[in-house]
Amino acid sequence: MAAVPLVGGLAGLGFAVLFGWVTTRKSGTTFAMITLGLGELVFAMSLMIPEFFGGEGGVSGNRVIGKPFFGITFGPPLQVYYLIAAYTFVCTAAMYAFTRTPLGRMLNAVRDNPERVEFIGYNTQRVRYIAFIMSGFFAGVSGGLASLLFEIVTAEVVGAARSGAYLLFTFLGGATFFFGPILGAILMVLAFVLLSEFTKAWLLYLGLIFMFMVMYAPGGIASLIMMNLRVASFGKLRTLWVSYLALAVTWLMVAAGRLGHDRDGLSPATQWGHGRRGAVSGHVPGFQGAQQLVWRGLRDADGLWPVRGDPAPIQAPVGRDPDRDRERNQTQGDRVMSSAYALELRDLRKSFGKTEIIRGANLAVTAGERVAIIGPNGAGKSTLFNLISGRFAPTSGDVLLNGQRINGMKPYEINRLGLSRSFQITNIFPKLSVFENLRCGVLWSLGYKYTFLKFLAGLDDANERAEQLMEMIKLDKKRDVLGMNLTYAEQRALEIGITIAGGASVILLDEPTAGMSRSETTRFINLIKEVTVGKTLLTVEHDMGVVFGLADKIAVVVYGEVIAFDTPDAVRANAKVQEAYLGSSVADAQAGGGH
């Protein structure tokens, strides 16, 4: 009987493998609706196929069948209580350990900004799929425990009301903190078991609480706790606050579990299921020793402290041999073409419906060059970047990266080949710290990929590289600050750090100085020059002072075509360019570098 929850976990894992491949192809609201819909399908089938699901009466069981094992029969509910506590502790510890691995951290990143994850080398669908499989295992364990406790399984356990309740209380507890859903589980039991005994209008009050949290504390109760801890405590004082809070929560859980029994060892409430001896309710499975886990979760909510030491220098990517690449490329199918350039566009076109945005763009960038792409608003500059980086697929034409055709590839596939980019609108992981943002950017390039068998704290190379990157972008003093709490200029610098973190040889920066003051722009340009030494750089920019001060060559894009590509001096003197775009800005730039 003690192995029933484990069997349930393996069954949940199996169905997650089956259904997850389809459901995880979508994300956000669509993913939520699909998974809730699957539950509703099972609910409907349980009534339509009573021969298998038991109909409205469900499927009954008998947990005392067979011979006792070391005197344990699971007849007394207290024995089931301790079995639940043991499984809960082990599963919670396993889930906590998972959050401290590279894959667990990337799951946080996918939660915050799935698009950005695609541009640092990860397939977000695969990340969601692995997480879905693991979730199926733990959900199956929970189902096995429930079947032992209640000795019956009905359609109600997969109904919309129960599924919605889990989501509601996870939100109230705080989904972005490890201990948030634990708080949500405690609140759920208290609401269903205790609050319902005080008033018949308990659902109304619960709804009002939910509305209040949405408006004033969208991060849940966990976010309120962490906010007050950060403000009110520091150093040893912080440790004391956290430890006392963890101990209090632990003893409340234990007390709620033990006091929830009557003389027969059964909880009197009737919200969670029906056993063969009458209406039986679940209880809070308190477990000893949980204070260490909760304490660590509170202390470490923003991530493990990395292994420190002298930062190792970031190694520049190994250069390619064009002749050897061309020989190897002949065996890689029609994606490979001959090219002596780091990046080349050949008659590239992109249409949206009947509107052609990019009209036969041609460009060839030599390795190590800094190229600025300029043009009037609506000329197609950002669209060009999206075509190069895989965000859009071209209508026709080719994009070549180090001689290999990459048009039609996914962004993560292109990133793995050595191309990385920033965005016109700042694109970081807002709920991760500066250090975690940068460490996410280096994991794939160091070979950790979808690893969940190693702890982040032990990845010395990843931690040292992230520390080095922080120093390079001048954010080492903001190490543990969340990305969303940085200034605009600091967020732009952090995005540059994420872009170069993987060691890409070709860097695309989309309007990196937009919205900055003149002093911030000057500092930022110096930063770009420093961190892109030895790399091929393409940047879209409207500030002519920046363009003429940074670029080795300038490409002028007008109406989706590259009308000029030459040195800054040659572009200044190009009458066609002046007529099409620059106008009086040329005179300003020549006189001292205005906009």
Side-chain angles (χ1 to χ4, degrees), residues 59-308:
V59 179
S60 299
N62 182 3
R63 68 175 181 240
V64 299
I65 193 171
K67 296 181 179 180
F69 181 73
F70 289 103
I72 300 174
T73 64
F74 293 115
L78 193 59
Q79 293 181 358
V80 182
Y81 170 84
Y82 284 117
L83 179 68
I84 293 173
Y87 267 102
T88 300
F89 180 82
V90 172
C91 289
T92 303
M95 286 186 278
Y96 181 80
F98 173 71
T99 65
R100 306 295 129 179
T101 66
L103 180 60
R105 183 62 72 238
M106 292 313 304
L107 189 60
N108 295 146
V110 171
R111 172 201 67 196
D112 286 356
N113 191 344
E115 181 183 54
R116 194 65 175 105
V117 172
E118 291 272 346
F119 289 92
I120 59 174
Y122 283 87
N123 181 347
T124 55
Q125 189 270 333
R126 186 171 180 181
V127 174
R128 290 194 299 268
Y129 183 43
I130 297 174
F132 190 83
I133 292 173
M134 293 184 174
S135 299
F137 173 78
F138 291 116
V141 171
S142 175
L145 291 171
S147 68
L148 288 179
L149 176 63
F150 304 130
E151 297 181 278
I152 190 171
V153 179
T154 66
E156 185 269 340
V157 298
V158 293
R162 180 63 60 85
S163 298
Y166 293 147
L167 293 176
L168 170 66
F169 284 99
T170 297
F171 174 85
L172 290 178
T176 58
F177 295 89
F178 177 78
F179 66 95
I182 298 176
L183 293 177
I186 298 172
L187 291 173
M188 182 164 63
V189 173
L190 294 177
F192 277 76
V193 176
L194 298 181
L195 188 59
S196 60
E197 294 181 356
F198 286 114
T199 173
K200 295 181 179 180
W202 66 279
L203 283 173
L204 172 63
Y205 296 121
L206 184 61
L208 293 175
I209 293 172
F210 179 74
M211 292 175 60
F212 177 84
M213 294 296 291
V214 170
M215 295 174 62
Y216 298 105
I221 294 175
S223 69
L224 296 178
I225 294 174
M226 292 306 300
M227 178 179 66
N228 284 284
L229 286 174
R230 290 189 180 109
V231 171
S233 59
F234 56 91
K236 294 182 178 180
L237 181 60
R238 173 180 176 178
T239 301
L240 289 173
W241 275 91
V242 175
S243 61
Y244 285 133
L245 177 62
L247 287 171
V249 170
T250 301
W251 285 111
L252 283 174
M253 293 167 63
V254 174
R258 294 303 299 269
L259 295 177
H261 298 284
D262 59 14
R263 58 184 182 152
D264 296 322
L266 300 178
S267 173
T270 60
Q271 307 298 326
W272 290 101
H274 301 278
R276 56 190 172 89
R277 288 178 293 275
V280 181
S281 171
H283 47 267
V284 181
F287 49 87
Q288 297 179 352
Q291 65 267 29
Q292 295 181 3
L293 180 65
V294 178
W295 180 3
R296 188 177 179 190
L298 286 166
R299 175 178 61 81
D300 222 14
D302 288 333
L304 284 177
W305 311 119
V307 177
R308 292 182 179 272

Side-chain angles (χ1 to χ4, degrees), residues 105 304 306 434-443 456-457 462-463 466:
R105 183 62 72 238
L304 284 177
V434 170
F435 176 80
E436 292 294 352
N437 268 267
L438 296 173
R439 185 162 61 179
C440 285
V442 307
L443 288 175
L456 287 165
N463 295 325

Side-chain angles (χ1 to χ4, degrees), residues 358-389:
I358 303 298
R359 307 176 181 183
N362 290 279
L363 188 66
V365 181
T366 304
E369 280 187 332
R370 292 174 178 164
V371 176
I373 299 177
I374 65 174
N377 290 330
K381 303 182 297 298
S382 292
T383 301
L384 206 59
F385 264 34
N386 290 332
L387 293 172
I388 296 171
S389 61

Side-chain angles (χ1 to χ4, degrees), residues 311-312 314 434 437-439 441-442 462-476 493 496-502 527 531:
I314 297 178
V434 170
N437 268 267
L438 296 173
R439 185 162 61 179
V442 307
N463 295 325
E464 291 172 357
R465 181 173 289 195
E467 296 279 3
Q468 178 71 12
L469 283 165
M470 281 194 301
E471 294 182 8
M472 290 180 66
I473 61 177
K474 309 299 188 293
L475 289 180
D476 48 304
I496 295 293
I498 296 172
T499 303
I500 67 171
L527 173 64
V531 300

Side-chain angles (χ1 to χ4, degrees), residues 368-494:
E369 280 187 332
R370 292 174 178 164
V371 176
I373 299 177
I374 65 174
N377 290 330
K381 303 182 297 298
S382 292
T383 301
L384 206 59
F385 264 34
N386 290 332
L387 293 172
I388 296 171
S389 61
R391 202 179 192 186
F392 297 157
T395 303
S396 63
D398 293 306
V399 181
L400 279 69
L401 178 64
N402 294 316
Q404 181 170 350
R405 183 188 300 166
I406 61 173
N407 43 290
M409 286 187 176
K410 301 292 185 182
Y412 59 85
E413 294 173 323
I414 295 174
N415 179 268
R416 295 171 189 175
L417 294 176
L419 184 146
S420 187
R421 67 163 295 180
S422 70
F423 293 81
Q424 186 175 1
I425 299 175
T426 306
N427 205 335
I428 60 175
F429 304 115
K431 296 180 182 178
L432 298 182
S433 68
V434 170
F435 176 80
E436 292 294 352
N437 268 267
L438 296 173
R439 185 162 61 179
C440 285
V442 307
L443 288 175
W444 183 273
S445 64
L446 294 177
Y448 295 112
K449 302 180 181 179
Y450 304 102
T451 302
F452 59 90
L453 298 178
K454 295 181 180 180
F455 289 107
L456 287 165
L459 307 182
D460 293 351
D461 50 353
N463 295 325
E464 291 172 357
R465 181 173 289 195
E467 296 279 3
Q468 178 71 12
L469 283 165
M470 281 194 301
E471 294 182 8
M472 290 180 66
I473 61 177
K474 309 299 188 293
L475 289 180
D476 48 304
K477 295 182 180 179
K478 300 293 182 85
R479 184 185 189 281
D480 298 315
V481 177
L482 299 183
M484 62 184 178
N485 294 331
L486 298 174
T487 66
Y488 175 76
E490 289 170 341
Q491 288 185 357
R492 298 299 282 180
L494 178 58

